[in-house]
Amino acid sequence: MTMLGLPGHITTCLFDLDGVIIRSTHLHNAAWGQALGEFLAWWSEQDGRRAVAPYDADTDYRSYLDGKRRVDGARSFLASRDITLPDGRPTDPAGAPTLHGLGNRKHQLSDRLISERGVAAYPGSLEYLRAVMDSGLKTGLVTSSANSARMLAGAGIDGLFEVRVDARTAASEGLRGKPFPDTFLIGARWLNAEPRETAVFEDAPAGVEAGRAGNFGYVVGVDRMDHAPTLLERGADIVVTDLSHLLTSDVH
């Protein structure tokens, strides 16, 4: 499997979407920035509440939100500001002061940004994905996004994955989100693959942790945000800045 930069026992590849296959991280960051900015402004206006640090697009998305389900990401971010909100319900109105309300507002905003700006696949990721398929390996998509079908179609790559596990799958199957390995494990199962013969491709620390927690055979970190040391620390076997770089790498 040297031509793919993978160990020889790998038969299956599970790819994250945002930041690995599709260039969309900046849209999610912007959507979270607006949703959380609106909430923090409201929070600080309430009587007797202290002001809290505003959303920092350079650090907060990477540290608390990237790769996680919306509710889990909102919880992590708010905990960094010593704020606790009830989970609420999935049907909470967008912007309601609950974790689901914040998540729904973020989803509303990211949906709008995707419509306005569109999304595109990374050329190097497409090159690598096609090489994986040409080699006869099985491919699956495992993402925390609820917009995965729309983004795949928008990027013109909706026919490249044999299975897709996304936020809707996690909700219907009762799966925990990353950094728990549940979504990757069901993706491997749907492809009739054992974790030990499956490679995971992730750009988020939470996703890398999920790959390691699931005892997957190889975990590839994709460094789009200059955080290679963090990806290695969380359990990546190798870190590349573009998947095409694996086509010329040796695995020892």
Side-chain angles (χ1 to χ4, degrees), residues 17-66:
L17 180 62
D18 301 296
V20 174
I21 300 296
I22 285 182
R23 192 190 307 271
S24 52
T25 300
H26 62 297
L27 301 181
H28 293 293
N29 196 349
W32 270 122
Q34 184 172 339
L36 292 170
E38 292 168 355
F39 169 78
L40 292 178
W42 170 83
W43 178 267
S44 297
E45 289 170 359
Q46 306 308 299
D47 289 343
R49 288 183 178 165
R50 60 182 177 77
V52 296
Y55 182 81
D56 186 333
D58 291 331
T59 60
D60 285 330
Y61 182 78
R62 180 174 65 190
S63 299
Y64 307 116
L65 303 160
D66 192 15

Side-chain angles (χ1 to χ4, degrees), residues 133-208:
M133 296 168 68
D134 288 344
S135 297
L137 272 65
K138 293 174 282 190
T139 60
L141 187 75
V142 179
T143 173
S144 299
S145 174
N147 280 319
S148 63
R150 185 177 175 192
M151 288 196 289
L152 289 171
I157 58 171
D158 46 341
L160 296 185
F161 298 97
E162 298 172 55
V163 302
R164 185 178 79 241
V165 179
D166 60 13
R168 299 179 192 278
T169 311
S172 65
E173 299 286 337
L175 305 176
R176 297 171 297 178
K178 304 167 188 176
F180 295 99
D182 303 26
T183 51
F184 281 120
L185 289 171
I186 197 172
R189 188 166 78 241
W190 285 356
L191 289 167
N192 296 312
E194 294 294 330
R196 64 178 179 274
E197 63 187 30
T198 301
V200 164
F201 298 77
E202 264 286 355
D203 72 311
V208 167

Side-chain angles (χ1 to χ4, degrees), residues 43 80 108 133 156 171 221 225 234 243 251:
W43 178 267
S80 74
Q108 183 183 71
M133 296 168 68
M225 303 178 74
R234 300 293 177 89
L243 289 186
V251 174

